[in-house]
Amino acid sequence: MKEKGRKVIATNRRARHNYTILDTYEAGIALVGTEVKSLREGKASLVDAFATVDNGEVWLRGLHIPEFSHGTWTNHSPRRTRKLLLHKREIEHLVGKSREGNQTLVPLSMYFSDGKVKVELALAKGKQDYDKRQDLARRQAEREVTREIGRRVKGMR
């Protein structure tokens, strides 16, 4: 029986802090059997992961999927380079955008969608320190406004 829905395996929370997200893509990923079994246990880390485009193919590097606990000599290498599966139009678009300058490909999350492993890939631009501070200040101001509105609705002020 087929699984339905979307089950998140891992997210890259630092990506939204360190990068401005310009565009997102959903990509399939080429895995071996023990990698999928390890992912079903919920084990993966996107912390140092990034994607590159080499010879018209997109590769995910730095993704850590630990070895399967019940695996044998057929276990996979935890940090091997994995191929991402995208349409040719999307790859050509990514090549053009990444060559424009200062843009990189960062995985945001990894999840099961209808039983298949997918990666949410983002075309992103690195943030400077002052950009990060401005984002934090803006979020803090928004929180204060919503708190004040809530207080007024409840009649506390």
Side-chain angles (χ1 to χ4, degrees), residues 81-98:
T81 302
R82 295 164 178 93
K83 185 176 182 178
L84 293 179
L85 309 172
L86 290 160
H87 292 285
K88 189 168 187 139
R89 288 184 314 277
E90 293 174 326
I91 294 172
E92 289 169 356
H93 185 258
L94 290 174
V95 168
K97 289 290 186 176
S98 62

Side-chain angles (χ1 to χ4, degrees), residues 141-157:
E142 287 174 2
R143 259 182 266 156
E144 289 174 6
V145 167
T146 55
R147 276 191 207 126
E148 187 61 33
I149 290 171
R151 286 187 191 120
R152 293 202 179 183
V153 168
K154 292 178 184 174
M156 296 178 135
R157 282 193 179 178

Side-chain angles (χ1 to χ4, degrees), residues 109-142:
S109 65
M110 189 174 212
Y111 53 90
F112 283 105
S113 177
D114 295 332
K116 293 181 173 60
V117 180
K118 302 288 184 179
V119 175
E120 185 179 13
L121 192 65
L123 185 64
K125 188 169 186 162
K127 283 185 186 176
Q128 301 294 328
D129 286 338
Y130 58 84
D131 290 333
K132 295 176 190 177
R133 285 192 294 269
Q134 287 175 349
D135 282 350
L136 290 173
R138 181 182 45 79
R139 278 192 299 233
Q140 181 67 28
E142 287 174 2

Side-chain angles (χ1 to χ4, degrees), residues 10-140:
T11 57
N12 189 354
R13 295 177 60 196
R14 298 290 298 169
R16 294 195 189 274
H17 179 71
N18 291 335
Y19 298 97
T20 302
I21 307 302
L22 304 174
D23 201 6
T24 59
Y25 300 90
E26 182 181 64
I29 185 169
L31 299 171
V32 295
T34 55
E35 288 174 326
V36 176
K37 290 178 182 182
S38 188
L39 289 175
R40 290 212 183 275
E41 292 178 347
K43 298 178 179 176
S45 175
L46 292 170
V47 174
D48 297 329
F50 64 97
T52 58
V53 181
D54 301 327
N55 298 327
E57 295 179 336
V58 183
W59 298 91
L60 187 61
R61 303 177 191 280
L63 170 66
H64 185 267
I65 300 175
E67 290 184 349
F68 182 55
S69 57
H70 302 296
T72 59
W73 57 273
T74 60
N75 249 340
H76 62 277
S77 173
R79 287 212 182 261
R80 75 179 187 89
T81 302
R82 295 164 178 93
K83 185 176 182 178
L84 293 179
L85 309 172
L86 290 160
H87 292 285
K88 189 168 187 139
R89 288 184 314 277
E90 293 174 326
I91 294 172
E92 289 169 356
H93 185 258
L94 290 174
V95 168
K97 289 290 186 176
S98 62
R99 285 192 182 149
E100 272 181 20
N102 295 36
Q103 295 179 0
T104 186
L105 296 171
V106 181
L108 297 178
S109 65
M110 189 174 212
Y111 53 90
F112 283 105
S113 177
D114 295 332
K116 293 181 173 60
V117 180
K118 302 288 184 179
V119 175
E120 185 179 13
L121 192 65
L123 185 64
K125 188 169 186 162
K127 283 185 186 176
Q128 301 294 328
D129 286 338
Y130 58 84
D131 290 333
K132 295 176 190 177
R133 285 192 294 269
Q134 287 175 349
D135 282 350
L136 290 173
R138 181 182 45 79
R139 278 192 299 233
Q140 181 67 28

